[in-house]
Amino acid sequence: MELDTSTMTALWGAVVLSGVYHGANPGMGWPLAVSAGLMEGRNRAMLNAIGALAVGHLLAMLAILLPFSVMSAMARWQTEIRIGAGALVIAVGIYLLLNRRHPRFLSRIHPTKLALWSFLAAMAHGAGLMLVPIYLGICGLDVADTGHDAARALMGQNIASAFLVALAHTLAMTVAGGVIAVAIYAYFGLKFLSHTWFNLDVVWALSLVLVGALGVYFALRGH
C-alpha cells in the first residue's frame, strides 16, 4: 500500500521528534557528556562523549529495527506483525510505569565506555521499541507478488528504511542532547542543572503506551 505524502511526512516527522525527545531525556546520557567535559576541562572531551552516546544509541535502534525489517517482508502477516509490535511497546510502557527503578547494571559500566552505556540504556528503556510502530508505517509491507524474489526485494527495501530511520532519529537525538549539554557546560553550569533537573520516567513510559496504542490502531485500520 502506497502512503500519501502527508502521511509519510507525518511519520518521518515522528521519527525526528522522537529523536529530539530522546535527546532531551537525561536518561539517554547528555549529563554524562557534561560531566566528561567538566572533569577533563576540555570541550573536545564533551564532544567525544556526545559522539560515543550517538554511536551507542544508533546501534540500539538498529538492533531493534533490523529484525522487524526482516519480519515485515512477510506481507501476508503485515497486520499481525504491526499489532504484535504495538502490543509489545504497550507492555514495555506498562512495565516501566510499574517498575520505576533504573537498571543497576548501567551504574557499573566504566565512564570511558559511553557507547556501550548508551546502547544498553536505550535497550533497557525501550527507546528502540518506540520507533517500531513508526517504522512499520514507513516501510513497505504490501506487495502483489509474495514469491521469493519479491520477498527478497521487499526485505532489502525495508532494511534500507531501517537504517534511514535509525540515522535520522539518532541525528535528531544527538543534536537535541548536544545542544542541552553544550548550553549547560558553557553557560549555565552544574549549579543550574542541580536546580532544574527534570525526570521524564513517567512521561517516557506513558509515551511508549501511546505510541504502541497508535501502532495497533493504524494496523487495524489497514494503513
Side-chain angles (χ1 to χ4, degrees):
M1 180 184 299
E2 292 293 331
L3 297 177
D4 59 66
T5 303
S6 61
T7 300
M8 187 61 75
T9 300
L11 287 170
W12 278 104
V15 169
V16 173
L17 287 175
S18 64
V20 173
Y21 175 47
H22 289 183
N25 185 355
M28 290 296 101
W30 61 257
L32 297 178
V34 176
S35 176
L38 290 173
M39 284 193 297
E40 295 192 27
R42 297 186 300 122
N43 294 343
R44 188 171 185 81
M46 182 184 62
L47 295 177
N48 288 341
I50 292 172
L53 291 170
V55 170
H57 197 83
L58 175 63
L59 292 176
M61 299 304 101
L62 290 174
I64 296 296
L65 293 181
L66 287 178
F68 279 97
S69 71
V70 175
M71 286 191 296
S72 64
M74 299 183 292
R76 70 180 60 186
W77 300 105
Q78 58 172 291
T79 300
E80 289 79 1
I81 290 172
R82 294 178 67 177
I83 291 175
L88 177 61
V89 177
I90 293 171
V92 172
I94 293 174
Y95 171 78
L96 292 177
L97 276 175
L98 298 176
N99 181 17
R100 305 285 183 82
R101 293 178 298 178
H102 288 273
R104 292 184 179 180
F105 65 86
L106 291 176
S107 62
R108 300 191 182 102
I109 298 174
H110 195 275
T112 59
K113 299 178 180 178
L114 280 182
L116 174 62
W117 183 93
S118 179
F119 174 85
L120 294 176
M123 297 294 284
H125 288 91
L129 287 174
M130 187 180 291
L131 278 182
V132 170
I134 304 170
Y135 163 71
L136 290 177
I138 290 174
C139 71
L141 287 175
D142 194 15
V143 289
D145 182 3
T146 57
H148 294 302
D149 290 340
R152 279 196 296 269
L154 185 61
M155 190 182 301
Q157 171 189 323
N158 291 343
I159 289 174
S161 295
F163 274 93
L164 288 175
V165 167
L167 285 169
H169 171 87
T170 302
L171 178 60
M173 172 263 184
T174 305
V175 171
V179 167
I180 295 174
V182 169
I184 291 176
Y185 174 79
Y187 302 106
F188 299 110
L190 287 180
K191 185 175 181 180
F192 173 84
L193 183 60
S194 66
H195 288 295
T196 58
W197 180 262
F198 50 97
N199 191 322
L200 294 178
D201 287 351
V202 174
V203 177
W204 180 275
L206 289 174
S207 64
L208 282 170
V209 174
L210 175 61
V211 170
L214 288 174
V216 172
Y217 171 73
F218 285 116
L220 291 174
R221 286 195 58 183
H223 284 285

